Each structure stands twice: as C-alpha cells, then as structure tokens.
Amino acid sequence: MGCALILWSAASAVDRPALAGDRDADVAIVGAGYTGLWTAYYLAKADPSLRIVVLEAETVGFGASGRNGGWCSALFPVSSQRLAAMPGGGRDGAIAMHRAMQASVNEVGLVSAAEGIDCDYHKGGTIVLARSAAQLARARAEVAEAAEWGPGDLRFLEPDEVATKVRATKVLGATFTPHCAAIHPGKLVRGLAAVVEGLGVTIYERTPVVSISAGQAVTQYGVLRAEVVVRATEGFTPSLAGESRTLAPVYSLMVATEPLPEATWRRIGLADRPTFSDHRHLVIYGQRTADGRLAFGGRGAPYHFGSRVKPSFDSEPRVFAALKATLRELFDGLEDVAFTHAWGGALGVPRDWCASVGIDHQTGLAWAGGYVGDGVSTTNLAGRTLTDLILRRDTRLIHLPWVDHRSPRWEPEPLRWLGINAGLRAMTAADAEERVTRRDSRIARLMGPLLGG
C-alpha cells in the first residue's frame, strides 16, 4: 500500500486464515472484491448446498473494490453503438444492457438494505458539468445520443438548473442522470464479505493464486479443486499465468478533504449528494461523502511497463497535486481546506475497453471483469449473470451483449507501454488545447482509438 492513506479503509475485525493444503469445492472464486463476493452471494442464495470457496491474495477489498470513488452508477465503458454492433447485440440488446445497468444500481441499494450493510448508499444521481464550449458541445451530443438509444432520462441542465444541485465555477451547462448512488466502497465490500460468510461461503485471505486451469486454482499453499473456477481478479489479472495480456492495469488516484463546515457546503451545494464530474477528456470524479468530505479522483498516473502492480504505484505526488488543484479550481473557497487522504489503485482495462462476463462449460472456467473503472454496479450485474451461467439458468441476463464477449489481447511490450501512455498523454494534451482554443481538441479527434473511443 506504500504511503497511501485510503479514506475507505478500516481495521478488520475478522482474522481470516490462508488456505492450508489442498481442498475441494463446487465453485472456486479467485478474488475477494465485488465481483467475487457478489457471485458468491447470489450463488449461495440460489443453492445453499454449494460448497463455495473464495481465494484472496491480500485481504477482502484490497483492490479496486476498496479504493474506488464510490460511484454506484449505470455507466458502461462502451457506447450503445458498440454494444449494438456486438454479436447478439442490436438496438434491443444495447438498450437491454443499459436498463440492466440501471437496475443494478437499485439492486445494490436493495441488497444492502435487506442484508443490513450500512454503506452510506444514497441515490442522488450524477451531474457532469460543461465548463467550456467544447465540453458544452459534448454534453448536448451525449443527451441527444441517450434520447436515441434509451429511455431519454439523461437531461441537459442550463446553468441556473445546475446551481440547484451544485455551484461550481465556469458552468455553461451540465448533463444529469438519476441512475447513480454515492456509497462508501469499503463498507460495502467488508459488509458483503460478512454476509456471504454467514451464508456458508469460505474466504481464505493472503492466498495468492498463481494459475487457473480447468478444475483447479493453484496457490503456494495448496490446490483448490472445483468443477467451476471463476476469475474475478480485475487489475491483478496479469499476475496469473497466461493472463499477462488479458487486461491492462491502469492506475486511478484519489484525494479526500477533511470534513467541511456547513458554511462551505451551503456555498458548494451537493445537498442531495449527487456524484459529480465534468466533460473533459481525462476522467475526473467526485462525491460528497456521508461524513461531509469531498472525495475526488481521476486518471493521469502512468501505466507501468509489463503490467506491473506494486504498492509504491499507489502514490503519485504529481497526480495528487493536480487533483487538489483541479478540485480547488472547480469550487470557490477551498484554498485553505486540508486534504487528509491520498491513495490509488489499479483498474482493469481490456484492449477494446469492453467489460465482459462468461463461462466455458467444457472447462468450467468462468470470468468477469474489464470494467475500466465503472465496476461498482457492473460487478453486481456480473455476479447475478455468473450465477445464472453457472447454474445453467436461461434468463434475460445471459443474453445481454457483454456475455461471452472476448476482447482482443493487448499488444506485447513495449508496444503496450507506448500505446497506453501515449493515450494518457493525449487526453491531458487535448484538455489543455481546449482550455486555450475553447474549441473541440484536434488531438482528441485524431487519437480517438487511444482515448477509448
């Protein structure tokens, strides 16, 4: 974890052992983050007789599930057009996917309430500000596309409407969707782990898996044998044998302020705790936490050669400084506010930016991931979908276009390092160009594929 101080962390009251020797199970799940735990939850609910074992290399929620920005949103990392073009997609498939994502936002809240998981869930929606002419054009185009492909509940807000939700600087307009809840990620993942253990699921911590193959997950402490083995390792996937080019771990970093006084909140707004961002190219994201802080993050940290993930990469002083400066530029009156936390973590990016879930019934190997940072609610959908696939239930979920999608493998090094970091630099340069010219960036238009377009 390096010198990073994670806002969402808490001392665990649970001392879970490591795997000690070989053992058998019906379902082996590799990774005790949201994907693995939601899968365990729905499987255990559907069939209490199943022997379900979860293996975790560190501790529950150590990866992205315990480090993210707390957006439980209906965002999916690829466009409706891309979903429609996928096998089995089409217009109906793309719309069904987005409706399933919207339902997943609600499902997280419903399960949290039903199971007594106090994760500060509050559904205040998401507001994405337009603060330049180029951002304003993108905002209007996004609303028009949403109206064409969905129920049309992405709204454009004029500046006076924006001010009723949040008071930021240089606002020309914004988009708003109700389909997002702010949560405390750490409370959710730790609460979910306790719930699944109460359902009879076994979790082994500090048990790194070195390889997955048909019928087994191999660790240095023993082999876990199971008819079904689920890979739920997201940004840590490249550490598995044969998976070095499956997903690229790209770092996202965050900072958090001290609790802010009520006078500051009256000036900023965010009374209904909508999550917030703006329409720049380099992603930023923030929320007002339940205890009255601003938690704010964004991309910009470099991709590390060979898809390496190390605790020292969680801390990037240059990016932390940029995030603090951006937050102070977004909202007036934060010049003297103290920042008490700064941390980072790796998210998983597939080569085509498209998350996927699936199973090979011949080998029993299943997987879900590649969320590109949009995983808090998508993991819930993945867990329910994997449950239906594993139990061979013919439901609407297993026919969604992301099911059994196979992303191409990333290029070998050094091409992977050159390409990903060029894309990150292009996004930064595109935003800088738009600040100067006030027009849509030529860099963004030329480098759309590297920007995930």
Side-chain angles (χ1 to χ4, degrees):
M1 302 247 297
C3 59
L5 183 60
I6 304 173
L7 176 64
W8 319 120
S9 292
S12 176
V14 181
D15 184 19
R16 299 181 177 92
L19 179 69
D22 297 350
R23 68 163 292 178
D24 296 323
D26 297 309
V27 180
I29 298 173
V30 181
Y34 292 146
T35 299
L37 294 174
W38 281 124
T39 303
Y41 174 79
Y42 289 106
L43 279 171
K45 284 284 192 177
D47 186 350
S49 70
L50 287 174
R51 297 170 300 165
I52 303 167
V53 176
V54 182
L55 301 177
E56 167 56 42
E58 297 289 345
T59 55
V60 163
F62 177 84
S65 297
R67 298 166 186 257
N68 64 80
W71 284 37
C72 183
S73 80
L75 290 170
F76 193 76
V78 298
S79 67
S80 297
Q81 291 93 328
R82 288 271 304 280
L83 285 169
M86 292 165 60
R91 177 182 173 82
D92 289 346
I95 292 172
M97 185 74 207
H98 286 299
R99 286 178 175 161
M101 287 297 304
Q102 292 168 1
S104 296
V105 175
N106 296 332
E107 176 72 2
V108 171
L110 290 169
V111 173
S112 297
E115 299 292 356
I117 302 173
D118 180 10
C119 61
D120 300 339
Y121 180 100
H122 182 78
K123 192 179 178 185
T126 295
I127 188 162
V128 184
L129 304 168
R131 303 174 63 248
S132 71
Q135 290 187 19
L136 185 62
R138 285 197 290 276
R140 292 188 184 279
E142 190 175 301
V143 171
E145 179 185 340
E148 178 183 355
W149 283 91
D153 49 10
L154 182 70
R155 296 170 47 216
F156 180 82
L157 305 182
E158 297 291 348
D160 58 338
E161 295 176 286
V162 176
T164 66
K165 297 183 180 295
V166 59
R167 287 175 288 282
T169 62
K170 302 177 183 178
V171 171
L172 302 178
T175 57
F176 177 76
T177 172
H179 299 294
C180 186
I183 66 160
H184 186 302
K187 290 181 179 179
L188 177 58
V189 73
R190 290 188 292 272
L192 191 54
V195 169
V196 300
E197 287 177 316
L199 294 172
V201 174
T202 301
I203 302 174
Y204 292 112
E205 293 184 325
R206 297 180 179 84
T207 306
V209 172
V210 296
S211 68
I212 295 171
S213 58
Q216 63 179 20
V218 179
T219 83
Q220 62 177 311
Y221 304 113
V223 177
L224 177 59
R225 295 178 293 265
E227 182 179 345
V228 174
V229 180
V230 178
R231 171 171 58 79
T233 46
E234 198 55 5
F236 295 88
T237 300
S239 66
L240 296 171
E243 304 288 352
S244 64
R245 292 165 56 193
T246 301
L247 296 174
V250 174
Y251 274 75
S252 197
L253 272 59
M254 292 197 70
V255 295
T257 69
E258 62 188 343
L260 303 180
E262 192 54 41
T264 301
W265 287 119
R266 285 195 297 270
R267 185 170 59 250
I268 292 174
L270 297 174
D272 197 35
R273 291 184 63 204
T275 57
F276 64 90
S277 180
D278 72 10
H279 281 277
R280 71 185 65 197
H281 296 289
L282 193 69
V283 173
I284 59 170
Y285 49 92
Q287 69 148 294
R288 175 180 178 169
T289 66
D291 65 348
R293 304 171 188 265
L294 280 168
F296 187 69
R299 311 290 193 262
Y303 161 80
H304 298 277
F305 192 91
S307 293
R308 289 177 299 158
V309 177
K310 294 174 58 177
S312 61
F313 299 159
D314 297 345
S315 180
E316 190 74 36
R318 172 186 59 84
V319 178
F320 290 148
L323 289 172
K324 294 174 185 177
T326 299
L327 192 57
R328 287 177 167 136
E329 197 266 334
L330 273 172
F331 301 115
D332 288 328
L334 298 182
E335 295 81 5
D336 298 325
V337 166
F339 286 82
T340 55
H341 298 76
W343 70 98
L347 50 92
V349 181
R351 182 62 182 86
D352 60 0
W353 288 60
C354 186
S356 64
V357 58
I359 189 170
D360 180 339
H361 281 295
Q362 288 189 324
T363 63
L365 296 175
W367 79 91
Y371 306 115
V372 197
D374 294 329
V376 176
S377 56
T378 319
T379 53
N380 176 275
L381 180 59
R384 288 183 286 132
T385 305
L386 281 170
T387 294
D388 290 343
L389 289 169
I390 291 167
L391 299 180
R392 297 177 183 263
R393 302 195 298 201
D394 187 7
T395 67
R396 60 181 178 80
L397 295 185
I398 72 167
H399 298 289
L400 292 172
W402 75 319
V403 175
D404 286 330
H405 171 70
R406 305 278 181 161
S407 298
R409 289 165 64 80
W410 279 98
E411 291 82 359
E413 299 290 18
L415 295 177
R416 185 160 73 251
W417 181 85
L418 290 168
I420 294 173
N421 284 319
L424 291 170
R425 286 192 295 270
M427 286 186 272
T428 303
D431 289 327
E433 180 186 341
E434 290 183 356
R435 283 194 295 271
V436 173
T437 66
R438 307 296 179 184
R439 296 191 300 271
D440 195 37
S441 168
R442 295 168 297 166
I443 298 170
R445 292 195 299 271
L446 291 170
M447 303 193 71
L450 285 175
L451 302 177

